[in-house]
Amino acid sequence: MTRLDELTIRALGVIDEARVPLGAGFTAITGETGAGKTMVVQALALLRGERADAGVIRAGEERAAVQGVWLVDDADAVAIVDDAGGSVDDGELILGRALSRGPDGAARSRAQAGGAAVPAGLLRSLADRLVAVHGQADQQRLRSAEAQAAALDRAAGPALDELLAEYRREHAAWTDARDRAQRIRTEHDARAAEAASLRDELEELEAFDPQPGEQDALAAVANRLEHAEALRTELAEAHAALLSDDDAPDAVTLAGTARRLVERASTDDAALAEALEMLVQADALLQEASASIVKALDDLERPQRSLDEVQQRRADLSGLERRLGRPLEVALEAAPQAALRLAELDGDDEELARLAAEEQRCLDAAAALADRLSAMRQDAARRLEEAVGAELRALAMPNARLVLEVVQGETLGATGRDRVTMLLAPHPGAEPRPVQKGASGGELSRVMLAIEVALAAGPMADETVPTMVFDEVDAGVGGAAAIEIGRRLAQLAEHCQVIVVTHLAQVAAFAETQVRVEKGTDGRITASQVAAVEGEERLAELARMLSGTASETALAHARELLADARAVG
């Protein structure tokens, strides 16, 4: 179980230095007015990453520091610390906050998590998972509309969680289809221009049908045609040198004669076999060379294309290359991908029609699920109102009425279309008002206690924040109502760690651990000490809380109160 194991305070308010031991269940923090009980709450507020105020630094000191040791089994909390460079060793997480006075008198703050320096904002992220503080100036969970809606969803239980997950899938699919369609419409002109450019390019490539390497081949042909006369003369001389029509010696004839002579000679000398093989090859190669020259001469006499035709084709391909703005080889290589892209762009109308159908289908599905969520929340709201009302009656608010208003809006959001508001009518005839406006600080703490007790007994008890702190939850009550507050705090402590700052013995008697904050002075300096009280010391503290003294009568009353609390608990 995740819980706060120990809190260390140094130079905070009237506390010079103290270690506050905390039990796993219900811990009551007691002491005389002004002794510094609320400094424990202030220390937790600092560890929650809340705004630092130099005014809380002890008089005569320049620095204050608080440190909390949590035993954690929350994987998400551990991941937050790990990502920040800190560490959780053997399930122990240490959070720290140090304050100092700056030159301008304002507070300077440094935070640590798992041994790493972190921004105060990271402490706030961790606090959401570790501890909730309910006090006169600390009602975040009731002030937040999101938290009010989350509390109602917790009351609805796992069935709503499953429905909400299904809704979120449809809502995400709807927004995705809507956004993709909007992106296509927004980029219509750019996409149309891109399609026109690709179409023109592909049409020109198809019309001219350039082939890979064609420009180089055309250049070679043009060169031959431009120098046809000179080439004809040179090739004729080369052919005559290889194979002459007159009696002049030529290469083919001489090679043939040499081959025949060596062939006859080689019958008597095997060493000439290699020479004969080379002469046979030379004879064949000279014959092939002669044939190639004849063909080249024939091509010069009867070319497949005229020089004008070749030059025109070269000009056409060069013009195409200029219009494309890149080499033809690159354009040809990119043509298949360009065709695919053009098909995609040309399919915008079909894609928009498909997305419109998808968007409508998902919207209809999400809207239907949102209606079911609203119905479940309405039902859960009535049940939670009834459960909280019963708790409030026992918490000295017999005529108070909590109203959970679930209003359907027009817009589908991440959790549906509902706006959830918690309203409180503190007495009959009063118009329900938002809880943060319709109750005093003490009443607000009791409302929060009533909600937490109701939720802890409900289907989502496992979602309860592991540590809850209540400050002044017993303000303005006493007697039987105070006993009921203590009993319900003990009941809540069965599900999570509960820390309560109280001045009522009827509340403290229900605690498993009691910590006393005691103010002392040597005539010059006032400082408070913090220590757990047990046995006779605890009886004496409860007696003081009951009557101001530890008289025999008060001690007997304290003993009876403690016994009754254990019996009732």
Side-chain angles (χ1 to χ4, degrees), residues 341-400:
R341 175 62 173 165
L342 179 60
E344 176 189 340
L345 295 171
D346 282 343
D348 276 359
D349 290 342
E350 291 80 0
E351 179 67 3
L352 282 172
R354 188 192 69 77
L355 288 173
E358 177 73 2
E359 183 180 347
Q360 190 60 51
R361 185 197 67 75
C362 295
L363 176 59
D364 291 343
L369 291 168
D371 289 340
R372 290 172 59 191
L373 285 170
S374 295
M376 291 184 71
R377 286 178 177 132
Q378 292 283 1
D379 181 61
R382 304 293 79 81
R383 288 187 279 108
L384 186 57
E385 286 174 355
E386 183 178 347
V388 171
E391 294 297 329
L392 290 176
R393 285 190 290 277
L395 294 173
M397 297 177 69
N399 299 312

Side-chain angles (χ1 to χ4, degrees), residues 273-521:
E274 185 177 354
L276 177 59
E277 182 181 353
M278 287 188 288
L279 285 170
V280 170
Q281 292 177 358
D283 189 20
L285 289 173
L286 289 171
Q287 294 283 357
E288 290 178 11
S290 176
S292 296
I293 292 173
V294 169
K295 184 179 183 305
L297 285 167
D298 189 57
D299 288 343
L300 287 175
E301 292 296 335
R302 290 181 296 276
Q304 294 181 353
R305 287 186 287 185
S306 69
L307 178 59
D308 287 344
E309 290 174 332
V310 172
Q311 296 291 36
Q312 182 59 53
R313 177 65 175 172
R314 294 182 69 195
D316 289 343
L317 294 182
S318 294
L320 175 60
E321 192 170 61
R322 285 194 300 274
R323 290 192 297 277
L324 296 179
R326 61 189 188 279
L328 281 180
E329 298 293 333
V330 175
L332 287 170
E333 187 177 346
Q337 192 62 37
L340 291 175
R341 175 62 173 165
L342 179 60
E344 176 189 340
L345 295 171
D346 282 343
D348 276 359
D349 290 342
E350 291 80 0
E351 179 67 3
L352 282 172
R354 188 192 69 77
L355 288 173
E358 177 73 2
E359 183 180 347
Q360 190 60 51
R361 185 197 67 75
C362 295
L363 176 59
D364 291 343
L369 291 168
D371 289 340
R372 290 172 59 191
L373 285 170
S374 295
M376 291 184 71
R377 286 178 177 132
Q378 292 283 1
D379 181 61
R382 304 293 79 81
R383 288 187 279 108
L384 186 57
E385 286 174 355
E386 183 178 347
V388 171
E391 294 297 329
L392 290 176
R393 285 190 290 277
L395 294 173
M397 297 177 69
N399 299 312
R401 181 169 59 94
L402 182 71
V403 177
L404 282 155
E405 189 178 74
V406 182
V407 178
Q408 281 194 321
E410 295 296 324
T411 305
L412 291 176
T415 58
R417 63 168 91 250
D418 301 322
R419 185 181 70 252
V420 178
T421 307
M422 286 186 178
L423 308 170
L424 182 70
H427 51 79
E431 186 72 22
R433 302 179 62 202
V435 287
Q436 63 267 39
K437 298 179 181 178
S440 67
E443 289 173 331
L444 201 54
S445 288
R446 274 175 275 163
V447 170
M448 191 69 248
L449 173 59
I451 291 172
E452 293 293 357
V453 170
L455 290 175
M460 297 292 281
D462 290 342
E463 298 298 315
T464 301
V465 176
T467 298
M468 292 192 185
V469 181
F470 292 90
D471 185 18
E472 300 193 52
V473 70
D474 52 13
V477 300
I483 290 175
E484 284 301 318
I485 289 176
R487 185 174 72 82
R488 276 159 172 75
L489 287 166
Q491 181 181 337
L492 183 60
E494 294 175 4
H495 303 278
C496 64
Q497 181 183 36
V498 174
I499 301 170
V500 179
V501 176
T502 181
H503 65 280
L504 293 181
Q506 293 93 329
V507 173
F510 282 86
E512 300 166 85
T513 303
Q514 185 169 347
V515 176
R516 179 178 63 199
V517 182
E518 186 175 20
K519 183 164 59 175
T521 180

